[in-house]
Structure formats: C-alpha cells, structure tokens
Amino acid sequence: MARIRSPLIDVAAAVTALYRHHTVVDGSGFVDFDVAVRRPNGFRALWRPQVVFEFEGEEPFNPLPGDQGFPLLEWGLNWCVYGLCHQHLTLHSAVLERSGRALLLPAPSGSGKSTLCAALVFSGWRLLSDELALITPDAGELLPLPRPVSLKNASIEVIQRFAPQVEFGSRVEETAKGVVAHFPPPAGAVRQSDERALPGWVVFPKYTSGAPARLVPMERSRTFMQLIENAFNYDIFGRDGFDLLCSVVDRSDCYTFEYSDLAEAVALFDRLSRGERA
Amino acid sequence: MPEPRDLVVEALTRPATHFERWSARDWTHFFQQARNAGLLGRAGARLLGLWPSGRVAPWPANLEGHFAAATRLMEAQRAEVQRELGYITRALAGLGAPVVVLKGAAYLAAGLPPGASRVFSDVDILVPKAAIQEAESRLMLQGWVGTHDNAYDQRYYREWMHELPPMQHLHRGTTLDLHHNILPSTARFKPDGRHLVERAEPLPGWPGLHVLAPTDMVLHCMTHLFMNEETSHSLRDLSDLDLLLRHFGSNGAFWPLLVERATLLDLRRPMHYAIRHVVQVLDTPVPADVAARIGAYAPAAPMGVLMDAIWRRALRCPHPSAALTGTSAARFALYVRGHWLRMPPGMLARHLTIKALRLHGRTTGEPVTTPTQG
C-alpha cells in the first residue's frame, strides 16, 4: 500500500493512467510507503525546474530534470521494495506465471529482458513483476507485485508493433538512458495479485541481433551463482538465503536464452510452458 | 490541537490493552516513527511478545511483514558484528594491553538485553592510551584503513579527541572506532580512562577482548547520550539505558556502586540527567533513595528548567510527526552544547567555523548519488 503525493500534473496524470486497474483506497488505512514527487525547495524552481523523490519526508536521491517525474516515482518505489522489504528475498528479475508455474527472467539492464517480458505479458503469461522477484522465506513462492512495465528506446516501438492494443503513457527523455515509456499492467494481473506461484523455470535472456531463438540448458550450480549476482539482499538472508535459492534452483528448469525475433521467442516459451522439448 | 504522540515510547511502555485502541493510521505513524528511530525491531519484538500466537494481534497484516524485515536485518547485523569481533580479536592478539568493546557491540558480545534487539553500525573499542599507536598499526596491517585524510581532522582527532578517526576495512567495508577514553581530555568532565580499563571484565568467547564493568558500561551509555552533539539516536540510546538498568538494577548492590563510580569518574551531572529522563520517559524502576541522591547533582534551577525542556524534546523519536514545538531549536542547542562540553570556547569557535565552511563547500559541489533506472 503506497501513499503517493505530487503537486505535478504530469505525475498525477501518469499515475491515474498507469495504475488504472489498481484499487484506490481512502487515507485511513495502513500505509507501507509514504512517497512524494515534487519540485525541490529553492529558487531553482524558476529556471529549468527539477523533480525530487521524497520518502517519509527525506530525499534519498538527487533531483532529476523536470519532466522525469513519473519514471522517478517508479524508480523510487522499486527502491522502497528492494531497499526495505527484507521480509522476502528480492532478485532483479522479471517474473511471469503460466499453468501455475513461475518463470524468472533475471538480468541486468540491456539484456532484452524487459522487451521479452512485455511480449510474454501479451502472449498468455500472467505478469507478477517486470523488475523484482520477491521470494517468500517460508514456502519459496514468488509474490506478485504487478506495476507499470517500463520500456526504453527501440523496445517501445517493437512492443507497440507486437501488441498494438497497448496504451503507453507519455514518452520521457531520460538524459542517461534515452527514451522511457510505461504501459499499465493488465487488469487480470492486478486482480490476481494475491496468487503466488512456485518457481518453474529460470531463464537468463540475451538479445543478440540476428540470432535465432535458442534455449540452452544451464547447470544448476551456475544458475545458483548467477541468481546470487542478481539478488539485492542475499547478504542479509545469510544461510536462509542459500537454502532459499537452492530450493528455487532445485524446482526449476534452468536455461540461457538468445533471441532476436520476438515472435520466434514467444513461440519457444509457449512450447516451454507446455513441457515440450525446447 | 492535541500534542503529537511519540508512538514508539508508547510501544515500549504501555500494556496490551492500550494497542487495541490504535487505528490503522496510528499503526502507520508508529511504523514510520519506529523505523526512523532505529527501534522497529525492538518495539516490534515487545509487541509480538504481548501477543503470543493464538491471540489475534491488533495490528494490520502488512506490519507483520515489516516486523519480520526488521528482525531479519537485525540478525544479519548481529552476525556481522560477531564476525568483526573475531577479526578484531585476531588482529590485536599479542597487543599486550586489554581491548575493551564499547556500546552496541559490547551489549551483543556480553549477551545483554539491548544486544538482542538493536540496529548496529560501527564497532567501538577502547585501549589504554599507551597502546593506541600499536593497536592502530596492527589494525592497519589487517586491512583497516584510516579516514578523514585532511590535516585538520587528523589533528582534531589525534591531539584533542578521545578517539582516532574512524577506520574502515578495505575489503569488508565495516567501520571501527578506536578510543582511548570515553571523553576527550579537553572536555568539561574528566573520567580517567585507566579506571575504566582497570575494572573491565574479560569476554569468554573472544580472548583478549573485554567489556566495561556494569556500572561503567551504564555510565558510558549515560555520558554518550547526555553529552553527544548528535541527537538522532537519542531515543534508541535511552532505550538501551533503560534495558541495562533493568538488567543490572535487580542486583541491590549495583546502585550505590553506580553513584560511587560516577563520583570517581566525574560523571555525576550526566548521570543525573540520565536517571531523571529515563524514569520520566520509559518508567525505569530506580530505588527512591538512589533517585533522591542523584537528584542532588542537578544544575542550578534556571538551567535545570531549561535543560528539562530541551531533553523533553530531543529524547523523542526523531520523526517529524512526533516533534513538539521547539524541537529543532532544542536539537540545535544540544549540538552546540555537545561541542562546548568537548572543548574550550576558543577552540570551539574555530572548530565550528571550519565545519560550517566545509559544509558550504560540499553543498555547492557535485551530487553524491544519482538515480539510475533499474
């Protein structure tokens, strides 16, 4: 439950559009994160105004240029989850579900994970998260946290072509990374946000121009080490973290994946979900 | 308008029936205040103790997850402190002088109540002044690196203060503060570090490491709390003091010895403030005759009234939602007072000027962290 405050019209409009399937509650309930996106104090507001993220009255980060309010909000909410929510083990990974099993796509930025995740969302897979895999310590299940999906640069057009029905929010020029845009999580994903899933597949994606879609089985031990590389709070979990990642790897079919054509990639994952040889 | 509530203090002191009346909004404010104060783990543990499994707890389900997160974090930090103590033991084996562990790490190492439910950051240790150069060298050989490279800071610490600049480990990133006393030699009160080392008690699990005797540990906590210039952890430190006093105070012999040691170590004024306020805020049980005796160490009446008002504000949890009017003025007053108690006025003026100029230089410089898309 997040309380989001902002005096900025573009941020309010983006939140309304991109969280359209989420429930809005009145202010009397319990709030996990109290955040705001606003202009920083000071006379800078008059010349090339900036935006700053506020968490419970503190500003943990430096301001960004003025029109990047919504991406900053999303980034800040991610930070709240991976920085503070140590009730579960958190990995930098997309998570989708099909036939009761969860697919993890762990990867750093630039690997093509986001584009692949977005395509799968429109191809029969339920979105749990495009960024954060939350693993419960008791049963080793994946906890859904469906939020707006972010895409960058060329990926935006690719997904617009792949799924023309998608309604992207405003495109924002990010000085560092280029253009970023978000689309809302599907209504079904939000409705099912209480339904956890046990891990079924761990796939490390990599977009390589011109490459045919290929799933290559990956050794469990290597998968395990790669998952640690993609974990935010493994060190805090200590021995429990080791056991938890072991259980994830033991339950899953593990692969590396290379692709360039989205339709080909989606078809391959289709066969994967039906248990056919990939 | 009703006075802002310090819900962390309520969580640490009130009976179970009190919380059945809290609204979801109260729980949200408590959660924000407690985490901000570094007391979510401790307050959470107390609340969980009031509702053993089987009874339906009055707090929202999500808060349960946050309690679990705080517990998980505390356990990780405890494990890290224990590892650090192991490294320190090995680095300083053969130093030929006792190494006394202070504050949070001491509570943990000695198995004392505050150690079970606390957030930890640095490890603080004390060695006799004669051994400090040797200790520093041995630590550097094992990978701890000095900080505060500039000439002013180095002189400030080495000539005037009771501790060296903090040392950071090259590989592990952990921080170690090496002291030779609990107050600087220029301070208004002058405890002799040798008295502290004389009565330090060995720690069974770590050969060569010690902790202060109970009375001295309590006095150090009181001194740190009531003479420090930084007040952001005051409530947490006050809670540590409350737990130490409840633990040691059950032994009747503790109290007269405490007063005796305070006299020997020239720490009666901090002890007075400490007892007065820990009783007021956290209902710590203190024998009436002891409280009366300590009451005699109060400052003159006008100062006493002023300090009461200042402590009343500064000892609350630091979250803005709990602040009384005049809290920032109170914290600023303690900031100045903390420095004034450490050093003579001329030195103080010079020190604060240098710090102010440096702060100005930093705010006009490059930013320290910039967000990047995950």
Side-chain angles (χ1 to χ4, degrees):
Chain A
M1 190 80 64
R3 181 170 168 236
I4 304 173
R5 290 167 297 130
S6 182
L8 305 170
I9 299 209
D10 57 324
V11 174
V15 170
T16 312
L18 293 160
Y19 281 92
R20 70 180 67 153
H21 301 302
H22 282 74
T23 321
V24 178
V25 296
D26 70 29
S28 62
F30 181 75
V31 172
D32 296 272
F33 309 117
D34 198 333
V35 303
V37 174
R38 53 172 180 75
R39 302 263 178 249
N41 297 324
F43 49 79
R44 184 67 198 269
L46 301 172
W47 172 67
R48 289 217 238 142
Q50 298 172 307
V51 282
V52 73
F53 177 78
E54 189 189 277
F55 172 73
E56 290 181 17
E58 308 259 314
E59 294 175 19
F61 317 110
N62 289 306
L64 287 182
D67 56 346
Q68 295 185 34
F70 185 73
L72 178 59
L73 172 66
E74 286 297 296
W75 191 87
L77 287 173
N78 285 349
W79 171 82
C80 289
V81 175
Y82 70 70
L84 302 170
C85 291
H86 302 304
Q87 55 266 54
H88 33 70
L89 182 63
T90 309
L91 309 182
H92 188 197
S93 170
V95 187
L96 301 126
E97 176 265 322
R98 193 152 175 185
S99 321
R101 296 172 76 190
L103 163 67
L104 273 80
L105 299 171
S109 303
S111 52
K113 158 194 90 178
S114 302
T115 321
L116 180 59
C117 171
L120 291 171
V121 165
F122 297 109
S123 309
W125 293 79
R126 170 169 69 109
L127 174 73
L128 276 75
S129 176
D130 70 322
E131 271 292 307
L132 302 170
L134 313 178
I135 307 174
T136 63
D138 48 0
E141 292 169 309
L142 279 306
L143 259 183
L145 190 62
R147 281 180 36 228
V149 178
S150 75
L151 290 171
K152 293 195 275 279
N153 301 321
S155 298
I156 304 171
E157 266 63 52
V158 167
I159 294 296
Q160 190 83 90
R161 277 198 307 274
F162 185 89
Q165 76 277 22
V166 177
E167 284 176 53
F168 277 96
S170 306
R171 284 149 169 72
V172 174
E173 279 287 336
E174 264 199 336
T175 47
K177 298 270 178 89
V179 181
V180 70
H182 294 79
F183 66 83
V190 179
R191 238 185 349 257
Q192 293 178 274
S193 53
D194 281 335
E195 291 173 30
R196 308 174 180 197
L198 280 170
W201 307 274
V202 179
V203 177
F204 294 87
K206 188 160 169 42
Y207 174 83
T208 307
S209 178
R214 224 161 60 101
L215 277 169
V216 176
M218 191 170 173
E219 264 178 348
R220 286 207 153 78
S221 50
R222 250 189 83 210
T223 305
F224 180 88
M225 297 307 290
Q226 282 290 96
L227 286 179
I228 296 179
E229 295 281 309
N230 284 285
F232 287 105
N233 57 358
Y234 183 70
D235 54 334
I236 291 175
F237 266 72
R239 175 61 198 257
D240 286 349
F242 179 89
D243 291 337
L244 209 45
L245 284 185
C246 279
S247 80
V248 169
V249 170
D250 281 344
R251 283 200 164 103
S252 304
D253 300 328
C254 309
Y255 302 94
T256 54
F257 177 63
E258 218 183 17
Y259 77 103
S260 56
D261 182 76
L262 261 189
E264 211 190 338
V266 167
L268 201 55
F269 275 88
D270 219 41
R271 292 208 292 282
L272 187 71
S273 77
R274 287 198 295 270
E276 297 170 18
R277 291 304 307 161
Chain B
M1 194 163 132
E3 191 176 87
R5 289 163 66 188
D6 187 332
L7 296 165
V8 186
V9 168
E10 292 184 29
L12 292 173
T13 53
R14 301 293 168 89
T17 46
H18 178 81
F19 305 103
E20 274 146 18
R21 292 196 294 271
W22 277 18
S23 65
R25 191 169 262 164
D26 289 332
W27 287 109
T28 302
H29 286 144
F30 156 71
F31 168 53
Q32 293 174 348
Q33 290 179 1
R35 182 167 56 197
N36 185 284
L39 284 167
L40 183 58
R42 182 171 292 170
R46 181 173 184 268
L47 288 168
L48 287 163
L50 292 175
W51 267 271
S53 56
R55 279 185 65 195
V56 177
W59 51 80
N62 283 12
L63 188 51
E64 200 77 40
H66 294 298
F67 286 154
T71 306
R72 175 83 55 189
L73 191 58
M74 281 192 316
E75 278 165 11
Q77 289 173 339
R78 267 214 297 277
E80 182 173 275
V81 170
Q82 286 176 321
R83 279 196 297 275
E84 281 304 298
L85 290 175
Y87 287 119
I88 292 167
T89 302
R90 283 198 286 285
L92 295 178
L95 178 67
V99 178
V100 186
V101 184
L102 301 173
K103 295 198 219 156
Y107 307 151
L108 174 62
L112 293 165
S117 58
R118 198 181 192 270
V119 240
F120 299 93
S121 45
D122 313 343
V123 175
D124 292 81
I125 60 175
L126 180 147
V127 298
K129 190 160 186 188
I132 201 141
Q133 298 290 12
E134 174 77 18
E136 191 189 9
S137 306
R138 283 170 180 262
L139 290 167
M140 286 174 73
L141 279 172
Q142 296 298 319
W144 275 277
V145 177
T147 57
H148 291 255
D149 275 341
N150 64 83
Y152 178 77
D153 279 353
Q154 284 288 320
R155 190 162 168 229
Y156 171 79
Y157 277 104
R158 290 177 194 280
E159 272 192 35
W160 302 319
M161 286 304 109
H162 55 293
E163 54 185 324
L164 296 190
M167 303 182 82
Q168 190 164 46
H169 195 270
L170 208 51
H171 303 307
R172 298 192 301 271
T174 50
T175 311
L176 178 60
D177 290 330
L178 183 55
H179 303 243
H180 56 80
N181 201 336
I182 60 175
L183 285 176
S185 51
T186 50
R188 164 127 168 251
F189 306 114
K190 299 187 192 305
D192 187 335
R194 288 171 301 187
H195 290 311
L196 297 170
V197 174
E198 238 160 47
R199 292 192 61 235
E201 297 173 1
L203 276 171
W206 289 277
L209 297 192
H210 300 68
V211 287
L212 295 173
T215 50
D216 298 358
M217 190 186 280
V218 165
L219 286 168
H220 181 213
C221 182
M222 292 171 162
T223 304
H224 179 75
L225 182 47
F226 287 90
M227 293 186 57
N228 210 12
E229 67 271 15
E230 277 304 319
T231 52
S232 51
H233 294 135
S234 296
L235 181 59
R236 187 199 69 187
D237 293 343
L238 193 70
S239 171
D240 285 344
L241 178 64
D242 169 65
L243 291 177
L244 288 176
L245 287 173
R246 287 172 193 269
H247 176 79
F248 292 127
S250 54
N251 174 359
F254 169 79
W255 296 102
L257 193 56
L258 177 71
V259 179
E260 194 186 298
R261 285 300 275 183
T263 305
L264 176 68
L265 293 166
D266 191 25
L267 294 172
R268 296 199 300 210
R269 180 62 55 79
M271 177 178 64
H272 161 76
Y273 286 135
I275 294 292
R276 182 177 173 75
H277 291 280
V278 81
V279 169
Q280 241 173 44
V281 178
L282 294 172
D283 295 329
T284 317
V286 177
D289 59 325
V290 174
R293 222 176 124 193
I294 294 176
Y297 305 135
M303 175 65 86
V305 170
L306 175 65
M307 290 308 293
D308 263 3
I310 289 178
W311 290 124
R312 205 175 140 240
R313 284 156 175 77
L315 292 171
R316 290 169 80 85
C317 73
H319 198 265
S321 66
L324 299 175
T325 347
T327 294
S328 18
R331 291 191 195 278
F332 181 71
L334 289 174
Y335 180 77
V336 175
R337 173 180 176 270
H339 282 89
W340 174 67
L341 288 173
R342 282 171 178 260
M343 56 185 86
M347 198 175 148
L348 174 66
R350 192 166 151 249
H351 179 72
L352 287 178
T353 307
I354 291 178
K355 276 183 100 164
L357 285 171
R358 198 184 287 168
L359 193 63
H360 174 74
R362 257 214 285 277
T363 56
T364 56
E366 276 303 300
V368 177
T369 45
T370 315
T372 51
Q373 273 293 348

